[in-house]
Amino acid sequence: MGPYLPDAVRQHAARRPGAPAVTEDERTVSYRELDARANRLAQALLREGGLQAGARVGCLARPGVLTAELLLACAKAGLVAVPLNWRLAEPELAAVARDAEFAAVLTQEEFLPGARAIRAVLPKAPLVVDGTPGPDELDYETLLAAASDTDPGGGGDGEGETVCLQLYTSGTTGQPKGVRLTLGNLDAGDHLVRELGWDQHSVSMNAMPFFHIAGAGWLVQALVAGAHTVAVPDLVPQRVVELIEQRRISHTFFVPAVLHMLTSLPDIAARDFSALRLIAYGASPITPVLLRRSIQVFGCGFLQIYGQTETAGSATRLLPEDHDPDGPRARLLRSAGNTRPDVEVRVADPATGEPLPTGAVGEICTRSHYVTPGYWRRPEENARLFTEDGWLRTGDAGYLDEEGYLFITDRIKDMVITGGENVYPVEVEAALAEHPAVLDVAVFGTPDERWGEAVTAAVVLRPGAEAVSPAELIAFARERIASYKKPRIVLFLDELPRNPTGKILKRVLRERFAGA
Protein backbone atom coordinates (compact mmCIF):
# COMPACT_ATOMS: atom_id res chain seq x y z
CA MET A 1 0.00 0.00 0.00
CA GLY A 2 1.26 3.44 -0.90
CA PRO A 3 0.82 6.72 0.98
CA TYR A 4 -2.73 7.98 1.41
CA LEU A 5 -3.82 11.06 -0.52
CA PRO A 6 -2.73 13.74 2.02
CA ASP A 7 0.77 12.32 2.53
CA ALA A 8 1.23 11.77 -1.21
CA VAL A 9 0.39 15.41 -1.98
CA ARG A 10 2.61 16.61 0.87
CA GLN A 11 5.51 14.65 -0.63
CA HIS A 12 4.93 15.99 -4.15
CA ALA A 13 4.62 19.54 -2.80
CA ALA A 14 7.97 19.19 -1.02
CA ARG A 15 9.89 17.38 -3.77
CA ARG A 16 8.25 18.82 -6.91
CA PRO A 17 6.64 22.09 -5.75
CA GLY A 18 6.23 23.62 -9.20
CA ALA A 19 4.84 20.50 -10.91
CA PRO A 20 1.30 21.01 -12.24
CA ALA A 21 -1.35 19.27 -10.14
CA VAL A 22 -4.74 20.33 -11.55
CA THR A 23 -5.72 22.33 -14.62
CA GLU A 24 -9.22 23.74 -15.09
CA ASP A 25 -9.73 25.65 -18.34
CA GLU A 26 -6.71 28.01 -18.49
CA ARG A 27 -5.95 27.90 -14.77
CA THR A 28 -3.33 25.53 -13.33
CA VAL A 29 -2.39 25.01 -9.69
CA SER A 30 0.91 23.37 -8.77
CA TYR A 31 1.31 20.71 -6.10
CA ARG A 32 2.68 23.34 -3.71
CA GLU A 33 -0.33 25.60 -4.36
CA LEU A 34 -2.80 22.72 -4.06
CA ASP A 35 -1.28 21.64 -0.76
CA ALA A 36 -1.28 25.19 0.68
CA ARG A 37 -4.80 26.04 -0.51
CA ALA A 38 -6.16 22.77 0.90
CA ASN A 39 -4.52 23.65 4.23
CA ARG A 40 -6.23 27.04 4.20
CA LEU A 41 -9.60 25.53 3.38
CA ALA A 42 -9.20 22.92 6.11
CA GLN A 43 -8.30 25.61 8.67
CA ALA A 44 -11.19 27.81 7.56
CA LEU A 45 -13.65 24.96 8.05
CA LEU A 46 -12.17 23.86 11.37
CA ARG A 47 -11.37 27.22 12.96
CA GLU A 48 -13.63 29.84 11.38
CA GLY A 49 -16.44 27.41 10.57
CA GLY A 50 -16.23 25.56 13.87
CA LEU A 51 -16.60 22.14 12.23
CA GLN A 52 -15.76 19.05 14.24
CA ALA A 53 -14.04 15.89 13.00
CA GLY A 54 -16.48 13.75 11.03
CA ALA A 55 -18.66 16.69 9.95
CA ARG A 56 -20.09 16.47 6.42
CA VAL A 57 -19.26 19.20 3.89
CA GLY A 58 -21.54 19.35 0.85
CA CYS A 59 -20.09 20.29 -2.52
CA LEU A 60 -22.17 21.35 -5.51
CA ALA A 61 -19.53 21.93 -8.17
CA ARG A 62 -18.12 20.69 -11.45
CA PRO A 63 -14.80 18.80 -11.41
CA GLY A 64 -11.80 21.09 -11.17
CA VAL A 65 -9.61 22.97 -8.73
CA LEU A 66 -12.35 23.50 -6.12
CA THR A 67 -13.29 19.83 -5.90
CA ALA A 68 -9.64 18.75 -5.63
CA GLU A 69 -9.01 21.29 -2.86
CA LEU A 70 -12.10 20.21 -0.92
CA LEU A 71 -11.33 16.49 -1.06
CA LEU A 72 -7.73 17.06 0.05
CA ALA A 73 -8.77 19.53 2.77
CA CYS A 74 -11.33 17.13 4.21
CA ALA A 75 -8.86 14.24 4.14
CA LYS A 76 -6.34 16.36 6.06
CA ALA A 77 -8.86 17.72 8.58
CA GLY A 78 -10.82 14.57 9.38
CA LEU A 79 -13.91 15.97 7.63
CA VAL A 80 -16.07 14.21 5.05
CA ALA A 81 -16.54 15.63 1.54
CA VAL A 82 -19.99 14.95 0.08
CA PRO A 83 -20.13 15.77 -3.64
CA LEU A 84 -23.63 16.45 -4.95
CA ASN A 85 -25.08 15.66 -8.34
CA TRP A 86 -25.86 19.09 -9.82
CA ARG A 87 -28.45 17.51 -12.14
CA LEU A 88 -30.73 16.61 -9.25
CA ALA A 89 -33.92 18.56 -8.77
CA GLU A 90 -34.03 20.89 -5.76
CA PRO A 91 -36.23 18.53 -3.67
CA GLU A 92 -33.72 15.73 -4.33
CA LEU A 93 -30.80 17.92 -3.24
CA ALA A 94 -32.68 18.89 -0.09
CA ALA A 95 -33.32 15.22 0.70
CA VAL A 96 -29.60 14.40 0.48
CA ALA A 97 -28.73 17.46 2.57
CA ARG A 98 -31.12 16.45 5.32
CA ASP A 99 -29.74 12.92 5.35
CA ALA A 100 -26.09 14.02 5.47
CA GLU A 101 -26.74 16.90 7.89
CA PHE A 102 -24.23 19.21 6.21
CA ALA A 103 -22.20 21.39 8.54
CA ALA A 104 -21.18 23.56 5.56
CA VAL A 105 -21.83 23.73 1.82
CA LEU A 106 -19.47 24.78 -0.98
CA THR A 107 -20.84 25.67 -4.40
CA GLN A 108 -20.05 27.38 -7.67
CA GLU A 109 -22.09 30.38 -8.68
CA GLU A 110 -24.00 28.58 -11.43
CA PHE A 111 -25.43 26.14 -8.88
CA LEU A 112 -26.58 28.73 -6.34
CA PRO A 113 -30.32 27.91 -6.73
CA GLY A 114 -29.69 24.30 -5.69
CA ALA A 115 -27.32 25.34 -2.90
CA ARG A 116 -29.89 27.79 -1.56
CA ALA A 117 -32.50 25.01 -1.58
CA ILE A 118 -30.12 23.10 0.68
CA ARG A 119 -29.62 26.17 2.88
CA ALA A 120 -33.40 26.41 3.25
CA VAL A 121 -33.50 23.04 5.04
CA LEU A 122 -30.15 23.54 6.86
CA PRO A 123 -30.12 27.27 7.67
CA LYS A 124 -27.22 27.00 10.14
CA ALA A 125 -24.79 25.54 7.59
CA PRO A 126 -22.49 28.25 6.13
CA LEU A 127 -22.80 28.58 2.34
CA VAL A 128 -19.45 29.26 0.63
CA VAL A 129 -19.60 30.44 -2.99
CA ASP A 130 -16.88 30.25 -5.62
CA GLY A 131 -18.08 33.33 -7.46
CA THR A 132 -20.33 36.14 -6.31
CA PRO A 133 -22.06 35.33 -3.00
CA GLY A 134 -25.35 36.78 -1.87
CA PRO A 135 -26.26 38.18 1.55
CA ASP A 136 -25.25 35.90 4.43
CA GLU A 137 -23.08 33.87 2.06
CA LEU A 138 -19.27 33.59 2.09
CA ASP A 139 -16.81 34.19 -0.75
CA TYR A 140 -14.51 31.20 -1.28
CA GLU A 141 -11.33 33.08 -2.14
CA THR A 142 -11.82 35.60 0.67
CA LEU A 143 -12.30 32.73 3.12
CA LEU A 144 -9.06 31.08 2.00
CA ALA A 145 -7.05 34.32 2.07
CA ALA A 146 -8.00 34.95 5.68
CA ALA A 147 -7.14 31.44 6.89
CA SER A 148 -3.82 30.00 8.06
CA ASP A 149 -1.92 27.69 5.71
CA THR A 150 -0.80 25.48 8.61
CA ASP A 151 -1.26 21.83 7.72
CA PRO A 152 -3.86 20.20 10.03
CA GLY A 153 -1.68 17.09 9.91
CA GLY A 154 -4.35 14.44 9.35
CA GLY A 155 -4.67 11.70 6.79
CA GLY A 156 -1.32 10.04 7.31
CA ASP A 157 -0.15 6.47 7.81
CA GLY A 158 -2.33 4.55 10.24
CA GLU A 159 -5.47 6.55 9.46
CA GLY A 160 -6.80 4.29 6.73
CA GLU A 161 -10.14 3.79 8.48
CA THR A 162 -10.89 7.53 8.54
CA VAL A 163 -13.92 8.35 6.37
CA CYS A 164 -13.12 11.23 4.00
CA LEU A 165 -15.69 10.89 1.21
CA GLN A 166 -19.41 10.13 1.08
CA LEU A 167 -21.08 9.48 -2.26
CA TYR A 168 -24.84 9.21 -2.62
CA THR A 169 -26.52 6.44 -4.54
CA SER A 170 -30.21 5.69 -4.59
CA GLY A 171 -31.40 2.46 -3.02
CA THR A 172 -34.03 -0.01 -4.10
CA THR A 173 -36.48 1.95 -1.96
CA GLY A 174 -35.70 5.11 -3.91
CA GLN A 175 -34.25 6.79 -0.83
CA PRO A 176 -30.72 8.22 -1.23
CA LYS A 177 -27.98 6.33 0.62
CA GLY A 178 -24.60 7.76 1.55
CA VAL A 179 -21.77 5.36 0.77
CA ARG A 180 -18.92 6.07 3.20
CA LEU A 181 -15.40 5.74 1.79
CA THR A 182 -12.22 5.83 3.84
CA LEU A 183 -8.67 6.88 3.06
CA GLY A 184 -7.88 3.16 2.90
CA ASN A 185 -10.72 2.50 0.45
CA LEU A 186 -9.28 5.17 -1.85
CA ASP A 187 -5.68 3.96 -1.49
CA ALA A 188 -4.18 3.74 -4.97
CA GLY A 189 -1.61 1.11 -4.04
CA ASP A 190 1.57 0.29 -5.91
CA HIS A 191 -0.09 -2.40 -8.03
CA LEU A 192 -2.74 0.07 -9.26
CA VAL A 193 -0.01 2.50 -10.27
CA ARG A 194 1.72 -0.28 -12.18
CA GLU A 195 -1.47 -1.53 -13.87
CA LEU A 196 -2.39 1.92 -15.11
CA GLY A 197 1.16 2.94 -15.91
CA TRP A 198 1.00 6.11 -13.80
CA ASP A 199 4.14 8.16 -13.32
CA GLN A 200 4.99 11.77 -12.55
CA HIS A 201 4.99 12.62 -16.26
CA SER A 202 1.44 11.32 -16.82
CA VAL A 203 -1.23 13.78 -17.93
CA SER A 204 -4.64 12.59 -16.76
CA MET A 205 -7.96 13.74 -18.16
CA ASN A 206 -10.72 13.66 -15.54
CA ALA A 207 -13.92 13.76 -17.55
CA MET A 208 -16.18 12.22 -14.91
CA PRO A 209 -18.12 14.28 -12.33
CA PHE A 210 -16.83 14.48 -8.78
CA PHE A 211 -20.05 12.94 -7.41
CA HIS A 212 -19.31 9.72 -9.35
CA ILE A 213 -16.84 7.21 -7.89
CA ALA A 214 -15.08 7.10 -11.25
CA GLY A 215 -14.45 10.86 -11.11
CA ALA A 216 -13.41 11.04 -7.46
CA GLY A 217 -11.40 7.81 -7.56
CA TRP A 218 -9.60 8.74 -10.78
CA LEU A 219 -8.66 12.11 -9.29
CA VAL A 220 -7.23 10.48 -6.16
CA GLN A 221 -5.16 8.00 -8.18
CA ALA A 222 -3.67 10.75 -10.36
CA LEU A 223 -2.79 12.96 -7.37
CA VAL A 224 -1.23 10.08 -5.45
CA ALA A 225 0.89 9.24 -8.50
CA GLY A 226 1.93 12.88 -8.89
CA ALA A 227 0.35 13.14 -12.32
CA HIS A 228 -1.07 16.31 -13.89
CA THR A 229 -4.89 16.24 -13.91
CA VAL A 230 -6.75 18.13 -16.63
CA ALA A 231 -10.35 18.53 -15.47
CA VAL A 232 -13.27 18.61 -17.89
CA PRO A 233 -15.96 20.70 -16.20
CA ASP A 234 -18.50 20.11 -18.98
CA LEU A 235 -18.33 17.01 -21.16
CA VAL A 236 -18.66 18.26 -24.73
CA PRO A 237 -17.38 15.53 -27.11
CA GLN A 238 -15.66 17.88 -29.56
CA ARG A 239 -13.95 19.72 -26.73
CA VAL A 240 -12.81 16.44 -25.14
CA VAL A 241 -10.93 15.28 -28.25
CA GLU A 242 -9.42 18.75 -28.64
CA LEU A 243 -8.12 18.57 -25.06
CA ILE A 244 -6.66 15.11 -25.64
CA GLU A 245 -4.66 16.58 -28.52
CA GLN A 246 -3.76 19.95 -27.03
CA ARG A 247 -2.88 18.78 -23.52
CA ARG A 248 -1.19 15.58 -24.71
CA ILE A 249 -3.38 13.43 -22.46
CA SER A 250 -1.81 10.08 -21.55
CA HIS A 251 -4.49 8.56 -19.27
CA THR A 252 -8.26 8.93 -18.96
CA PHE A 253 -11.44 7.17 -17.87
CA PHE A 254 -14.62 7.11 -19.94
CA VAL A 255 -17.97 5.41 -19.55
CA PRO A 256 -19.10 3.53 -22.70
CA ALA A 257 -21.65 6.24 -23.55
CA VAL A 258 -18.82 8.76 -23.86
CA LEU A 259 -16.77 6.37 -26.01
CA HIS A 260 -19.80 6.11 -28.29
CA MET A 261 -20.07 9.90 -28.57
CA LEU A 262 -16.37 10.36 -29.26
CA THR A 263 -16.01 7.60 -31.83
CA SER A 264 -19.09 8.93 -33.65
CA LEU A 265 -17.55 12.37 -34.28
CA PRO A 266 -17.15 12.93 -38.03
CA ASP A 267 -13.51 14.07 -37.79
CA ILE A 268 -12.36 11.54 -35.20
CA ALA A 269 -10.06 9.67 -37.60
CA ALA A 270 -8.05 12.83 -38.29
CA ARG A 271 -7.24 13.47 -34.62
CA ASP A 272 -3.83 12.98 -33.05
CA PHE A 273 -4.02 10.55 -30.13
CA SER A 274 -0.35 9.59 -30.13
CA ALA A 275 0.16 10.69 -26.49
CA LEU A 276 -2.62 8.42 -25.22
CA ARG A 277 -1.27 5.42 -23.33
CA LEU A 278 -4.38 4.08 -21.63
CA ILE A 279 -8.16 4.49 -21.55
CA ALA A 280 -9.89 2.92 -18.58
CA TYR A 281 -13.62 2.31 -18.93
CA GLY A 282 -16.49 0.92 -16.91
CA ALA A 283 -19.62 1.88 -14.92
CA SER A 284 -21.98 0.34 -17.50
CA PRO A 285 -22.02 -2.46 -20.09
CA ILE A 286 -20.11 -2.02 -23.35
CA THR A 287 -20.90 -3.75 -26.62
CA PRO A 288 -18.12 -5.65 -28.42
CA VAL A 289 -18.75 -3.49 -31.51
CA LEU A 290 -18.15 -0.26 -29.58
CA LEU A 291 -15.07 -1.68 -27.85
CA ARG A 292 -13.51 -2.77 -31.14
CA ARG A 293 -14.22 0.61 -32.70
CA SER A 294 -12.74 2.44 -29.72
CA ILE A 295 -9.56 0.36 -29.80
CA GLN A 296 -9.19 1.09 -33.51
CA VAL A 297 -9.85 4.84 -33.18
CA PHE A 298 -7.66 5.60 -30.16
CA GLY A 299 -4.89 3.06 -30.74
CA CYS A 300 -3.89 2.84 -27.07
CA GLY A 301 -4.22 0.35 -24.25
CA PHE A 302 -7.67 -0.27 -22.76
CA LEU A 303 -8.46 -1.39 -19.22
CA GLN A 304 -11.95 -2.32 -18.05
CA ILE A 305 -12.87 -1.73 -14.40
CA TYR A 306 -15.81 -3.50 -12.76
CA GLY A 307 -17.07 -2.39 -9.40
CA GLN A 308 -19.53 -0.04 -7.76
CA THR A 309 -19.54 2.88 -5.37
CA GLU A 310 -19.55 0.45 -2.44
CA THR A 311 -16.23 -1.03 -3.65
CA ALA A 312 -14.63 2.37 -4.34
CA GLY A 313 -15.22 1.56 -8.00
CA SER A 314 -12.96 -1.47 -8.19
CA ALA A 315 -13.48 -5.22 -7.83
CA THR A 316 -12.09 -6.76 -11.03
CA ARG A 317 -10.23 -5.47 -14.08
CA LEU A 318 -9.60 -6.60 -17.62
CA LEU A 319 -6.01 -5.70 -18.38
CA PRO A 320 -4.81 -4.22 -21.68
CA GLU A 321 -3.13 -7.49 -22.68
CA ASP A 322 -6.53 -9.19 -22.48
CA HIS A 323 -7.98 -6.75 -25.04
CA ASP A 324 -7.25 -8.76 -28.16
CA PRO A 325 -10.33 -8.63 -30.42
CA ASP A 326 -8.87 -10.88 -33.12
CA GLY A 327 -6.73 -13.17 -30.98
CA PRO A 328 -7.34 -16.59 -29.47
CA ARG A 329 -8.64 -15.06 -26.22
CA ALA A 330 -11.12 -12.68 -27.83
CA ARG A 331 -13.86 -14.20 -25.64
CA LEU A 332 -12.41 -12.28 -22.70
CA LEU A 333 -13.81 -9.04 -24.12
CA ARG A 334 -17.19 -10.27 -22.85
CA SER A 335 -15.80 -10.61 -19.33
CA ALA A 336 -15.21 -8.10 -16.55
CA GLY A 337 -11.67 -9.40 -16.07
CA ASN A 338 -10.11 -11.01 -13.02
CA THR A 339 -9.25 -9.81 -9.54
CA ARG A 340 -6.43 -7.63 -8.32
CA PRO A 341 -3.88 -9.16 -5.92
CA ASP A 342 -5.56 -7.60 -2.87
CA VAL A 343 -9.17 -8.33 -3.82
CA GLU A 344 -11.27 -11.46 -3.30
CA VAL A 345 -14.27 -12.23 -5.51
CA ARG A 346 -16.62 -15.17 -5.27
CA VAL A 347 -19.99 -16.18 -6.69
CA ALA A 348 -22.53 -17.32 -4.11
CA ASP A 349 -26.06 -18.63 -3.94
CA PRO A 350 -28.19 -15.49 -3.34
CA ALA A 351 -30.49 -17.38 -0.96
CA THR A 352 -27.96 -19.25 1.18
CA GLY A 353 -24.73 -17.28 0.66
CA GLU A 354 -22.86 -20.53 -0.02
CA PRO A 355 -20.06 -20.32 -2.63
CA LEU A 356 -20.90 -21.82 -6.02
CA PRO A 357 -18.59 -23.86 -8.26
CA THR A 358 -16.83 -22.56 -11.37
CA GLY A 359 -19.28 -21.78 -14.17
CA ALA A 360 -22.36 -21.58 -11.93
CA VAL A 361 -24.34 -18.33 -12.00
CA GLY A 362 -25.00 -16.63 -8.70
CA GLU A 363 -24.54 -13.36 -6.84
CA ILE A 364 -21.14 -11.69 -7.18
CA CYS A 365 -19.57 -10.96 -3.79
CA THR A 366 -16.27 -9.25 -2.99
CA ARG A 367 -14.01 -8.63 -0.01
CA SER A 368 -11.06 -6.23 0.13
CA HIS A 369 -9.76 -3.03 1.70
CA TYR A 370 -11.59 -1.14 -1.07
CA VAL A 371 -15.00 -2.13 0.34
CA THR A 372 -16.99 0.57 2.15
CA PRO A 373 -17.42 0.28 5.92
CA GLY A 374 -21.13 0.76 5.19
CA TYR A 375 -23.87 3.23 4.42
CA TRP A 376 -24.32 6.38 6.47
CA ARG A 377 -26.93 5.73 9.16
CA ARG A 378 -28.50 2.71 7.38
CA PRO A 379 -28.05 -0.22 9.82
CA GLU A 380 -30.75 -2.38 8.23
CA GLU A 381 -29.39 -1.88 4.72
CA ASN A 382 -25.85 -2.51 5.97
CA ALA A 383 -27.03 -5.83 7.39
CA ARG A 384 -28.30 -6.79 3.92
CA LEU A 385 -25.19 -5.44 2.19
CA PHE A 386 -22.72 -7.71 4.01
CA THR A 387 -22.62 -11.41 4.77
CA GLU A 388 -21.76 -12.56 8.29
CA ASP A 389 -18.17 -13.27 7.24
CA GLY A 390 -17.64 -9.82 5.72
CA TRP A 391 -18.35 -10.30 2.01
CA LEU A 392 -20.08 -7.42 0.23
CA ARG A 393 -23.07 -8.52 -1.83
CA THR A 394 -23.02 -6.61 -5.12
CA GLY A 395 -26.54 -7.48 -6.28
CA ASP A 396 -25.06 -8.45 -9.66
CA ALA A 397 -25.31 -11.96 -11.08
CA GLY A 398 -22.49 -13.72 -12.91
CA TYR A 399 -20.04 -16.61 -12.95
CA LEU A 400 -16.31 -17.25 -12.77
CA ASP A 401 -14.61 -19.32 -15.45
CA GLU A 402 -11.81 -21.81 -14.87
CA GLU A 403 -9.17 -19.06 -15.24
CA GLY A 404 -10.83 -16.80 -12.67
CA TYR A 405 -12.35 -14.33 -15.15
CA LEU A 406 -15.68 -12.88 -14.11
CA PHE A 407 -18.61 -12.84 -16.53
CA ILE A 408 -21.62 -10.71 -15.57
CA THR A 409 -24.91 -12.15 -16.78
CA ASP A 410 -27.55 -9.91 -15.25
CA ARG A 411 -28.39 -7.78 -12.25
CA ILE A 412 -30.20 -9.24 -9.33
CA LYS A 413 -31.50 -5.78 -8.61
CA ASP A 414 -33.54 -3.96 -11.22
CA MET A 415 -31.21 -1.00 -11.42
CA VAL A 416 -30.77 0.58 -14.85
CA ILE A 417 -27.31 1.93 -15.77
CA THR A 418 -27.57 4.64 -18.41
CA GLY A 419 -24.53 6.63 -19.46
CA GLY A 420 -22.68 5.42 -16.36
CA GLU A 421 -25.39 6.72 -14.00
CA ASN A 422 -27.50 4.47 -11.78
CA VAL A 423 -31.26 4.84 -12.17
CA TYR A 424 -33.57 2.96 -9.85
CA PRO A 425 -36.96 2.16 -11.46
CA VAL A 426 -38.95 2.90 -8.32
CA GLU A 427 -38.04 6.60 -8.54
CA VAL A 428 -39.15 6.87 -12.16
CA GLU A 429 -42.26 4.80 -11.54
CA ALA A 430 -43.24 7.05 -8.64
CA ALA A 431 -42.90 10.14 -10.83
CA LEU A 432 -44.91 8.71 -13.74
CA ALA A 433 -47.58 7.33 -11.42
CA GLU A 434 -48.47 10.90 -10.44
CA HIS A 435 -49.84 11.56 -13.93
CA PRO A 436 -53.64 11.37 -13.87
CA ALA A 437 -53.75 9.24 -17.03
CA VAL A 438 -51.41 6.54 -15.71
CA LEU A 439 -52.99 3.45 -14.17
CA ASP A 440 -49.96 1.19 -13.94
CA VAL A 441 -46.29 1.53 -14.80
CA ALA A 442 -43.11 -0.55 -14.81
CA VAL A 443 -39.66 0.85 -15.55
CA PHE A 444 -36.74 -1.25 -16.77
CA GLY A 445 -33.64 -1.02 -18.95
CA THR A 446 -33.34 -1.91 -22.61
CA PRO A 447 -30.03 -2.16 -24.52
CA ASP A 448 -28.84 1.11 -26.04
CA GLU A 449 -25.61 1.41 -28.04
CA ARG A 450 -25.00 5.00 -26.96
CA TRP A 451 -26.08 4.97 -23.30
CA GLY A 452 -25.51 1.31 -22.39
CA GLU A 453 -29.14 1.06 -21.33
CA ALA A 454 -32.17 3.21 -22.01
CA VAL A 455 -34.65 3.90 -19.23
CA THR A 456 -37.85 2.36 -20.61
CA ALA A 457 -41.34 2.70 -19.17
CA ALA A 458 -44.21 0.32 -19.87
CA VAL A 459 -47.42 2.23 -19.12
CA VAL A 460 -51.04 1.16 -18.76
CA LEU A 461 -53.45 4.09 -19.15
CA ARG A 462 -56.62 4.54 -17.14
CA PRO A 463 -59.81 3.64 -19.00
CA GLY A 464 -61.41 6.77 -20.37
CA ALA A 465 -58.38 8.94 -19.67
CA GLU A 466 -57.51 11.71 -22.10
CA ALA A 467 -54.98 10.77 -24.74
CA VAL A 468 -51.36 11.30 -23.69
CA SER A 469 -48.22 10.96 -25.80
CA PRO A 470 -44.84 9.49 -24.84
CA ALA A 471 -43.32 12.97 -25.09
CA GLU A 472 -45.84 14.36 -22.62
CA LEU A 473 -45.10 11.62 -20.08
CA ILE A 474 -41.35 12.11 -20.48
CA ALA A 475 -41.74 15.87 -19.90
CA PHE A 476 -44.00 15.17 -16.91
CA ALA A 477 -41.32 12.95 -15.33
CA ARG A 478 -38.58 15.51 -16.05
CA GLU A 479 -40.39 18.05 -13.87
CA ARG A 480 -40.14 15.69 -10.89
CA ILE A 481 -36.82 13.89 -11.21
CA ALA A 482 -33.37 14.54 -12.67
CA SER A 483 -33.25 14.61 -16.47
CA TYR A 484 -30.98 11.56 -16.77
CA LYS A 485 -33.56 9.49 -14.85
CA LYS A 486 -36.47 10.28 -17.15
CA PRO A 487 -37.60 7.51 -19.53
CA ARG A 488 -36.21 7.67 -23.05
CA ILE A 489 -38.76 5.14 -24.29
CA VAL A 490 -42.44 4.94 -23.31
CA LEU A 491 -44.47 1.91 -24.35
CA PHE A 492 -48.24 1.70 -23.97
CA LEU A 493 -49.59 -1.74 -22.98
CA ASP A 494 -53.02 -3.09 -22.19
CA GLU A 495 -51.63 -4.79 -19.07
CA LEU A 496 -48.32 -5.58 -17.37
CA PRO A 497 -47.10 -9.17 -17.05
CA ARG A 498 -47.38 -10.45 -13.48
CA ASN A 499 -46.74 -13.67 -11.58
CA PRO A 500 -49.49 -15.41 -9.58
CA THR A 501 -48.77 -13.23 -6.54
CA GLY A 502 -49.18 -10.04 -8.58
CA LYS A 503 -45.50 -9.08 -8.86
CA ILE A 504 -44.60 -7.41 -12.16
CA LEU A 505 -42.30 -9.60 -14.25
CA LYS A 506 -39.71 -7.11 -15.43
CA ARG A 507 -37.61 -9.91 -16.86
CA VAL A 508 -40.43 -10.61 -19.31
CA LEU A 509 -40.60 -6.93 -20.24
CA ARG A 510 -36.83 -6.71 -20.79
CA GLU A 511 -36.89 -9.75 -23.05
CA ARG A 512 -39.97 -8.62 -24.95
CA PHE A 513 -38.74 -5.10 -25.64
CA ALA A 514 -34.97 -5.68 -25.91
CA GLY A 515 -35.06 -4.09 -29.35
CA ALA A 516 -37.22 -1.13 -28.40
Side-chain angles (χ1 to χ4, degrees):
M1 295 174 65
Y4 299 133
L5 173 65
D7 273 354
V9 173
R10 289 172 180 131
Q11 292 171 15
H12 296 310
R15 299 169 185 172
R16 307 165 51 241
V22 181
T23 291
E24 177 185 346
D25 296 327
E26 300 305 315
R27 178 191 179 195
T28 298
V29 296
S30 67
Y31 272 93
R32 177 172 53 193
E33 291 171 317
L34 176 63
D35 190 53
R37 287 173 62 84
N39 290 342
R40 290 183 179 276
L41 177 56
Q43 295 291 358
L45 293 171
L46 291 172
R47 309 284 185 235
E48 285 80 356
L51 274 62
Q52 302 297 315
R56 268 60 185 167
V57 182
C59 181
L60 197 58
R62 297 184 186 275
V65 174
L66 174 64
T67 51
E69 290 172 351
L70 175 64
L71 180 56
L72 180 57
C74 286
K76 287 185 169 197
L79 303 172
V80 182
V82 186
L84 293 163
N85 186 340
W86 63 76
R87 292 178 294 184
L88 294 179
E90 290 181 11
E92 294 173 306
L93 288 171
V96 171
R98 278 191 293 263
D99 184 79
E101 296 182 356
F102 292 142
V105 178
L106 273 63
T107 189
Q108 292 168 327
E109 189 171 345
E110 66 174 304
F111 302 122
L112 267 173
R116 286 168 178 162
I118 292 172
R119 189 88 183 281
V121 298
L122 295 172
K124 294 183 179 180
L127 178 55
V128 183
V129 182
D130 185 12
T132 305
D136 299 322
E137 298 168 356
L138 303 174
D139 176 70
Y140 182 69
E141 292 297 336
T142 302
L143 188 72
L144 261 61
S148 166
D149 64 356
T150 302
D151 194 321
D157 187 35
E159 297 183 51
E161 296 184 3
T162 301
V163 175
C164 63
L165 182 66
Q166 186 163 305
L167 300 177
Y168 271 82
T169 176
S170 296
T172 54
T173 63
Q175 298 299 315
K177 295 180 297 184
V179 180
R180 296 179 296 145
L181 296 173
T182 67
L183 287 166
N185 295 151
L186 296 172
D187 173 48
D190 292 339
H191 65 277
L192 277 179
V193 173
R194 289 193 299 270
E195 283 177 9
L196 293 167
W198 289 117
D199 59 41
Q200 295 179 357
H201 304 290
S202 300
V203 183
S204 167
M205 172 180 281
N206 198 327
M208 295 295 293
F210 186 46
F211 56 77
H212 197 294
I213 183 57
W218 193 255
L219 172 64
V220 170
Q221 289 188 26
L223 292 176
V224 169
H228 176 196
T229 290
V230 177
V232 180
D234 193 15
L235 205 156
V236 178
Q238 194 70 36
R239 180 57 181 153
V240 167
V241 295
E242 290 172 357
L243 281 173
I244 293 174
E245 284 187 307
Q246 296 167 4
R247 296 289 185 177
R248 305 294 291 167
I249 300 298
S250 64
H251 293 71
T252 190
F253 180 99
F254 292 134
V255 297
V258 173
L259 287 171
H260 181 276
M261 294 176 194
L262 299 181
T263 56
S264 299
L265 291 171
D267 63 342
I268 193 69
R271 294 290 182 175
D272 176 15
F273 299 128
S274 59
L276 264 177
R277 286 153 50 190
L278 182 121
I279 294 177
Y281 65 96
S284 66
I286 189 169
T287 64
V289 171
L290 175 57
L291 184 53
R292 287 172 181 266
R293 186 164 73 238
S294 300
I295 293 172
Q296 181 181 12
V297 166
F298 293 105
C300 64
F302 276 72
L303 184 141
Q304 181 187 161
I305 298 173
Y306 163 70
Q308 52 192 198
T309 307
E310 289 86 347
T311 65
S314 178
T316 66
R317 79 282 196 251
L318 187 69
L319 295 170
E321 53 264 35
D322 288 328
H323 285 72
D324 187 11
D326 302 312
R329 292 164 64 80
R331 67 178 185 86
L332 294 180
L333 293 183
R334 302 193 308 273
S335 80
N338 51 18
T339 60
R340 292 191 162 95
D342 52 357
V343 177
E344 296 177 272
V345 170
R346 75 180 186 189
V347 174
D349 185 314
T352 66
E354 291 297 316
L356 295 174
T358 298
V361 175
E363 183 173 22
I364 300 165
C365 301
T366 183
R367 188 166 62 179
S368 74
H369 73 84
Y370 299 111
V371 170
T372 174
Y375 299 122
W376 167 250
R377 294 179 175 173
R378 292 287 190 278
E380 293 182 359
E381 300 215 30
N382 284 332
R384 292 191 292 269
L385 181 64
F386 296 102
T387 65
E388 291 183 359
D389 51 350
W391 290 83
L392 180 138
R393 305 179 62 175
T394 68
D396 290 335
Y399 66 91
L400 290 164
D401 72 4
E402 60 281 354
E403 295 182 86
Y405 284 83
L406 179 66
F407 289 77
I408 301 170
T409 58
D410 203 346
R411 279 185 296 280
I412 293 173
K413 303 172 185 177
D414 287 325
M415 180 179 71
V416 180
I417 304 179
T418 179
E421 293 291 340
N422 297 347
V423 177
Y424 288 83
V426 65
E427 297 179 270
V428 190
E429 290 163 356
L432 290 171
E434 294 182 22
H435 194 285
V438 173
L439 174 65
D440 208 356
V441 59
V443 171
F444 53 99
T446 53
D448 185 280
E449 184 177 2
R450 180 175 185 181
W451 300 106
E453 288 185 308
V455 179
T456 303
V459 175
V460 178
L461 296 178
R462 296 184 183 278
E466 292 185 8
V468 60
S469 69
E472 288 175 284
L473 285 180
I474 292 170
F476 182 84
R478 175 62 188 88
E479 294 175 359
R480 288 157 177 78
I481 53 177
S483 180
Y484 73 89
K485 298 179 184 179
K486 70 181 186 296
R488 295 185 178 275
I489 301 170
V490 175
L491 308 165
F492 293 108
L493 305 181
D494 292 331
E495 62 180 7
L496 299 179
R498 298 178 182 272
N499 67 10
T501 64
K503 183 179 180 180
I504 296 174
L505 299 174
K506 292 189 177 181
R507 173 182 55 81
V508 173
L509 290 170
R510 283 194 293 266
E511 293 172 355
R512 179 178 172 186
F513 298 108

